[in-house]
């Protein structure tokens, strides 16, 4: 499946193509989504470029992701997908820029593409080019990463509050430590994926900044590239900060769980020590030897109960006095 966008008077119009041999020559953006072999061939004939396969797009070498071939600039970036769900993932997207026409190849549905398509469909200059569309897409991707990091930071703060809430609020209800640990794990996974995407986008922006030296790009677009580089650098630093914060929160969570477990073990240990003297008394008077002086004593049973009670209270009072409880 693919979409073709051609410029009109004040917007970028989406063209519906039924015949692959009738692609419009004035198309400035061709968006390939899960393309078939026939669609790849049709776009290759129109744009005079080679469409990379899905396996080629998944290569991690810089030379396989950023290169120039037959005058066209190939840039493959890793973008976020489904970041609003419990199963976020990344996908490889290739941007091919040649002869003022942009071709994008993707096998998923990153949200920035839909946002840019809607924006350009509302308004854009009649002289729009593939370079302008590319800048809009990169800007939308960076904005999307910033939004995800902001949301992730707020959620991490909430998790931190749940862990370090006042002691008075922790009593009276069971803390759902397993849910908190799952939430921390998800935030860590999301942050790492966003950072991976930012690093990839940063390489694309740096590559573009290097190749525009020999291309007649407007001053505004050059300044926009510099702004993107600064934004990517700052967002990458922020993602690293969030990763460190998540690590700290995870360590704190494990420490709190360990303290809770120690308190439970301490409680059992104290109960064992408190019950040990009464158990000793009950064991002594449970032997039933004939020579025991208290065996025939009428008040022996209540006296034994009183002694066991005192033997339990004294260790408990000592623990409280020493503030071990």
């Amino acid at each position: 499946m693919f979409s073709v966008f051609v410029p009109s008077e004040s917007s970028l119009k989406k063209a519906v193509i039924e015949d692959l041999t009738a692609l419009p020559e004035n198309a400035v953006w061709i968006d390939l989504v899960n393309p078939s072999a026939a669609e790849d061939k049709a776009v290759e004939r129109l744009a005079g470029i080679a469409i990379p396969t899905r396996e080629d797009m998944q290569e991690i070498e810089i030379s396989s992701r950023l290169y120039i071939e037959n005058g066209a600039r190939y840039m493959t970036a890793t973008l976020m997908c489904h970041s609003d769900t419990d199963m976020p993932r990344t996908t490889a997207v290739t941007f091919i820029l040649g002869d003022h026409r942009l071709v994008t190849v993707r096998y998923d549905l990153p949200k920035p593409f839909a946002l840019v398509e809607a924006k350009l469909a509302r308004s854009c200059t009649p002289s729009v080019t593939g370079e302008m569309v590319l800048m809009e897409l990169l800007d939308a991707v960076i904005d999307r990463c910033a939004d995800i990091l902001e949301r992730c930071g707020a959620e991490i703060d909430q998790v931190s509050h749940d862990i370090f809430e006042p002691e008075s609020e922790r009593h009276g209800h069971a803390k759902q430590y397993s849910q908190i640990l799952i939430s921390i794990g998800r935030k860590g996974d999301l942050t790492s994926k966003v950072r991976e995407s930012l690093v990839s986008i940063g390489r694309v922006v740096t590559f573009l900044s290097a190749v525009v030296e020999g291309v007649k790009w407007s001053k505004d677009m050059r300044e926009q590239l510099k702004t993107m580089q600064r934004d990517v650098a700052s967002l990458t630093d922020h993602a690293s900060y969030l990763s460190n914060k998540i690590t700290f929160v995870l360590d704190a969570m494990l420490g709190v769980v360990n303290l809770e477990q120690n308190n439970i073990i301490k409680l059992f240990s104290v109960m064992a020590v408190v019950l040990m003297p009464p158990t000793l008394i009950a064991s002594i008077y449970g032997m039933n030897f004939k020579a025991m002086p208290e065996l025939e004593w009428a008040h022996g049973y209540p006296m034994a109960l009183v002694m066991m009670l005192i033997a339990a209270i004294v260790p408990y009072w000592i623990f409280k006095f020493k503030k071990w409880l």
Side-chain angles (χ1 to χ4, degrees):
M1 180 179 69
F2 71 97
S3 303
V4 178
F5 299 85
V6 295
S8 61
E9 293 183 359
S10 61
S11 64
L12 200 64
K13 186 178 296 184
K14 187 174 181 179
V16 179
I17 304 299
E18 296 181 358
D19 185 6
L20 295 179
T21 62
L23 290 173
E25 292 288 340
N26 61 338
V28 296
W29 180 19
I30 302 175
D31 185 25
L32 295 169
V33 183
N34 292 311
S36 62
E39 291 171 342
D40 283 346
K41 295 297 182 182
V43 175
E44 288 176 352
R45 286 194 300 268
L46 172 66
I49 58 175
I51 303 298
T53 64
R54 189 170 191 174
E55 290 73 19
D56 294 336
M57 294 168 59
Q58 292 174 344
E59 296 288 340
I60 61 174
E61 301 95 332
I62 299 298
S63 58
S64 299
R65 285 184 159 236
L66 306 170
Y67 59 94
I68 300 176
E69 184 178 287
N70 296 329
R73 292 174 286 281
Y74 290 75
M75 297 157 285
T76 300
T78 302
L79 305 186
M80 288 292 304
C81 286
H82 308 286
S83 59
D84 297 329
T85 66
D86 292 336
M87 296 295 293
R89 62 174 180 263
T90 57
T91 182
V93 177
T94 297
F95 304 90
I96 308 172
L97 190 61
D99 195 22
H100 303 293
R101 180 186 290 116
L102 175 67
V103 178
T104 54
V105 186
R106 54 195 175 103
Y107 292 87
D108 215 317
L109 302 173
K111 194 171 183 178
F113 278 77
L115 297 176
V116 171
E117 180 181 338
K119 177 181 178 181
L120 296 179
R122 290 192 303 267
S123 64
C124 71
T125 61
S127 58
V128 63
T129 61
E131 289 85 352
M132 296 178 182
V133 176
L134 176 61
M135 299 298 284
E136 290 286 348
L137 285 171
L138 293 178
D139 191 46
V141 169
I142 295 172
D143 288 343
R144 179 63 176 165
C145 289
D147 293 340
I148 296 173
L149 289 178
E150 289 176 4
R151 174 169 56 86
C152 190
E155 293 174 351
I156 293 171
D157 289 339
Q158 182 59 47
V159 171
S160 179
H161 173 74
D162 293 338
I163 297 173
F164 300 111
E165 64 184 4
E167 186 72 19
S168 59
E169 296 183 11
R170 279 194 285 185
H171 291 301
H173 71 279
K175 292 178 67 65
Q176 300 296 326
Y177 292 126
S178 60
Q179 294 299 323
I180 293 178
L181 286 173
I182 291 173
S183 179
I184 293 174
R186 287 175 177 170
K187 300 302 174 291
D189 178 61
L190 179 61
T191 303
S192 65
K193 285 181 168 60
V194 174
R195 192 175 187 279
E196 178 187 1
S197 178
L198 285 170
V199 170
S200 179
I201 290 297
R203 291 170 178 168
V204 170
V205 174
T206 302
F207 176 78
L208 275 176
S209 300
V211 298
V212 296
E213 297 300 328
V215 183
K216 294 181 179 180
W217 281 29
S218 65
K219 183 179 179 180
D220 292 340
M221 295 178 68
R222 294 174 184 268
E223 290 297 326
Q224 189 177 1
L225 275 176
K226 293 180 181 179
T227 302
M228 286 182 182
Q229 283 183 303
R230 291 193 294 268
D231 289 344
V232 169
S234 63
L235 289 175
T236 303
D237 292 339
H238 188 66
S240 300
Y241 158 75
L242 287 180
S243 297
N244 294 333
K245 186 174 182 179
I246 289 172
T247 302
F248 164 74
V249 171
L250 178 60
D251 292 341
M253 181 68 226
L254 295 177
V256 170
V257 171
N258 190 37
L259 285 176
E260 293 288 343
Q261 292 177 341
N262 289 340
N263 288 335
I264 295 173
I265 298 301
K266 182 174 69 173
L267 178 61
F268 280 106
S269 300
V270 169
M271 293 303 297
V273 173
V274 168
L275 295 176
M276 189 180 299
T279 304
L280 177 62
I281 295 173
S283 299
I284 292 174
Y285 288 107
M287 292 186 290
N288 295 325
F289 289 121
K290 290 183 179 182
M292 291 180 65
E294 299 88 350
L295 189 62
E296 301 296 334
W297 188 25
H299 302 289
Y301 177 69
M303 179 57 71
L305 292 179
V306 171
M307 291 175 61
M308 285 189 286
L309 182 61
I310 294 174
I313 292 175
V314 171
Y316 179 79
W317 180 83
I318 293 175
F319 278 110
K320 292 290 287 186
F321 180 76
K322 294 288 188 179
K323 295 182 180 180
W324 292 344
L325 292 177

